Amino acid sequence: MKLWDKGNSIDQKIEKFTVGNDRELDMHLAKYDLTASAAHAKMLGEIGILDTEEVNAILSELEKLQQQVESGSFQIEKDFEDVHSKIEFELTRALGDTGKKIHTARSRNDQVLVAMQLYFKENLQEISGKTSELIDVLLGLAEKHQDKLLPGYTHLQVAMPSSFGLWFSAYAEILIDDLYLLDAGLKIVDQNPLGSAAGYGSSFPIDRELTTKELGFSTLKYNVVAAQMSRGKCERTVTSNIASLANTLSRFAMDICLYMSQNFEFISFPDELTTGSSIMPHKKNPDVFELIRGKCNKLQAIANEMILITNNLPSGYHRDLQLIKENSIYAVENIKEILDIFTFSIGQIMVKDIDLKDEKYRYLFTVDSINDLVVQGSSFRDAYKQIGEQVQNGTYEPTDLKDHSHIGSKDNLALDKIAEKKKNLR
């Protein structure tokens, strides 16, 4: 059964090419299409297209299908193009002509739109929740290890003294920036497109404000052309926001891989969180974080793909838009898995004691030495020159470790302020 079937057959090669893997992808959307169909049926009842008995019958059947989705027994067989045709078929099989009325005043276009936006809305909230959980873990680690020193690097060269507290809380705070973006994405998808039909509205006196309320959208996309144009816009926004989060996690994962190596040896993890080598028995590999790094880089590529597919499309619907469904769903599902494994793993990190008197860290304190001279009355430029000459001629001797007391530095992490940022975002 095809919603657009007019009695003509279609070449099997064409059907296979155009349907693609929509059936598999639409399993992610079944819950949301059923929810939207229920709201649509209620609205059709309110405007007199359906009578009360018909509305109740449709709602009852939709609830049965929703229970199948929740139990995992719902299937979209190969006879169907997508979830929309499957649901309409089941309604028609159960209710006859009443089931055929469900498509009144809507198109498959706005069915896809509303299902995708409900999917994005729920999942962006879940992703934000998982990100928030990771931030809390990092802030806890920062507090626990705030006095543990860590060499800071620039250009992968020893630079200045840092701390594990500073490192953990740095990623905590930068993840809050990603929460800001996820929140912005949520605002964009939280606009009801249902009622735009094929992109130009309907001659039926539909009540779009009713469906907006029923579906829990904050507002609706008023202009029906704008609603249709939001397909692509939503996917670009969501995958871009996910890409930003993935960028943060990828950089963090790289730090972890680096710091676990014998050349750094700052951290470790329990054996059960690492893997070994088939020929080198000493290996303790950070495969989890290497895969996180690779997967996050893949997610960043998806955001660019969304732009390339949609950037030169004119207004109205085009079949190209089918191609953005797969990877936008892939991005959503994968970032959730990545956040789960990251939070699980980082919570078990083992922080090592680092001997900053090791010869390789000899110049870690040159800036503090310069600052000492400035406090004693020297100009910064003269002090810089003096310490620089000592470094060059090999006479530099590190000074005692100094407190860095200003807000946001290693000895004043402002963890409460960072936590407040996250709290204020809710």
Side-chain angles (χ1 to χ4, degrees), residues 385-404:
K385 184 177 181 181
Q386 180 178 335
I387 297 299
E389 287 174 351
Q390 293 176 11
V391 170
Q392 290 298 315
N393 61 32
T395 62
Y396 173 76
E397 291 295 333
T399 56
D400 293 334
L401 182 65
K402 304 297 180 184
D403 282 344
H404 293 195

Side-chain angles (χ1 to χ4, degrees), residues 175-212:
L175 282 167
I176 294 174
D177 291 342
D178 295 316
L179 284 180
Y180 292 151
L181 289 172
L182 291 170
D183 188 58
L186 182 60
K187 286 182 172 64
I188 289 174
V189 302
D190 195 14
Q191 303 176 83
N192 180 22
L194 187 60
S196 57
Y200 299 97
S202 172
S203 59
F204 290 103
I206 58 175
D207 186 345
R208 298 189 63 212
E209 291 180 334
L210 187 153
T211 57
T212 299

Side-chain angles (χ1 to χ4, degrees), residues 237-306:
T237 300
V238 169
T239 55
S240 177
N241 297 161
I242 289 173
S244 176
L245 175 57
N247 176 269
T248 303
L249 298 176
S250 179
R251 295 182 69 182
F252 198 177
M254 180 61 212
D255 275 3
I256 290 169
C257 294
L258 204 64
Y259 290 177
M260 275 188 70
S261 73
Q262 289 87 344
N263 296 76
F264 287 81
E265 219 166 1
F266 298 158
I267 59 173
S268 187
F269 286 89
D271 290 344
E272 56 267 27
L273 269 64
T274 62
T275 61
S277 164
S278 62
I279 63 171
M280 295 173 283
H282 66 281
K283 294 298 290 296
K284 188 173 179 180
N285 300 325
D287 282 22
V288 165
F289 293 99
E290 290 173 346
L291 285 171
I292 286 173
R293 183 177 59 197
K295 286 174 176 285
C296 284
N297 291 339
K298 188 172 182 178
L299 293 183
Q300 291 176 79
I302 288 174
N304 288 330
E305 178 186 286
M306 296 296 117

